[in-house]
Structure formats: structure tokens, C-alpha cells
Amino acid sequence: MDKAWLPILVADVHRLVRKAFIASREADGLTQEQFRTLVHLSLRQGIRQVELAEILEIKPITLTRVLDQLAAAGLIERRPAPTDRRAHQLFLTDAAKPHLHSFDLLNAEISQRMTAGLSDMEVEQLLRLLRHVHEQMGQ
């Protein structure tokens, strides 16, 4: 395969992985946006709303709607930022833990599916190469 196909292949793999996540997690009652927000927030407790919107690549008003829904469900809480009274920091509540646990299980299941038939050495090589691509694209 010509390396010109690489971006298309990577995009297609992304689409398939995303489709697997969506199909496997519908039972938890969260929308894709809500689930994605919880996962990113779990990695960045205390982040400000505007920063999280940038990471998620969505408009702040869209994130506000998602956060309102998550707060109403008792999964997150907003706290005033100590250095800026106009800003809020975001934190997960204990009620979000089961959703994040289901993410961990789903992540492991999909990772296993993605690497089925590969040796441990091949998986390590794949990870190393993907990290390299990630670094190159982040420049």
C-alpha cells in the first residue's frame, strides 16, 4: 500500500474504533458528548470550562449544555476558580466512577480486539510507531 493512503487508513481506523465505543456503551444512558467529557475530565480534574472546550474541540456554549446535563445527573460539580471569580473549575463526583469503570473495561476490550493476532513485540512496535506519528502531527 502506498504511504499516501496512510491518512485515510488512520482516519478509517479512528472511525471504526469510535463506532465500536458508541455501540458498546449505549446502555449507560450517556450521550457520546457526555461520555467523552467525563473521560477527558477524569484526566484533568480542576480544569476550567474554557480549557476543556478547547481540548474537546467544541464551542464553549456546547460544553456548557453538556456540563449542565452532567451536573443535573450528579456526575460533575462546578467550583469557583480561586484565581478568577468569573471562571469555574470542573470536578467529577463519586457518581461518575461507575461510568469511568465501564470506560476502562470498554477500552481494554477494544484494545484487545484491535491487537488480536499480534505478538506482544508487534503491539509494542505499533504503540511506538503511533506515538511517533502523534508527535509528528502535534508539531
Side-chain angles (χ1 to χ4, degrees):
M1 179 182 287
D2 186 316
K3 73 178 181 179
W5 284 93
L6 185 60
I8 294 167
L9 182 59
V10 169
D12 203 34
V13 169
H14 173 262
R15 181 187 59 77
L16 292 168
V17 169
R18 187 174 173 158
K19 184 177 175 182
F21 267 101
I22 292 168
S24 299
R25 53 141 288 281
E26 288 175 347
D28 66 17
L30 296 178
T31 67
Q32 180 181 348
E33 285 179 333
Q34 292 168 338
F35 194 74
R36 188 169 170 248
T37 301
L38 281 182
V39 169
H40 279 277
L41 182 53
S42 74
L43 302 171
R44 299 164 181 90
Q45 292 274 359
I47 194 170
R48 292 181 14 220
Q49 287 181 213
V50 67
E51 295 166 333
L52 185 57
E54 288 175 15
I55 290 167
L56 294 171
E57 296 181 342
I58 60 176
K59 294 180 181 179
I61 190 71
T62 302
L63 179 60
T64 297
R65 182 178 39 85
V66 172
L67 294 173
D68 288 346
Q69 295 163 348
L70 292 172
L75 301 176
I76 65 150
E77 61 181 37
R78 293 175 171 114
R79 299 179 196 161
T83 57
D84 183 353
R85 61 188 169 102
R86 299 169 296 161
H88 288 94
Q89 292 178 293
L90 304 170
F91 295 89
L92 295 175
T93 66
D94 287 341
K97 288 180 182 177
H99 295 286
L100 295 171
H101 179 68
S102 74
F103 170 77
D104 289 340
L105 294 175
L106 181 56
N107 194 38
E109 177 186 318
I110 291 174
S111 293
Q112 176 62 38
R113 189 169 151 201
M114 291 174 72
T115 59
L118 298 178
S119 69
D120 289 345
M121 188 168 34
E122 289 170 323
V123 171
E124 286 301 317
Q125 182 180 19
L126 175 62
L127 289 169
R128 189 174 61 254
L129 293 170
L130 287 172
R131 284 186 197 107
H132 172 80
V133 170
H134 186 269
E135 288 173 14
Q136 293 302 311
M137 294 307 297
Q139 293 180 2

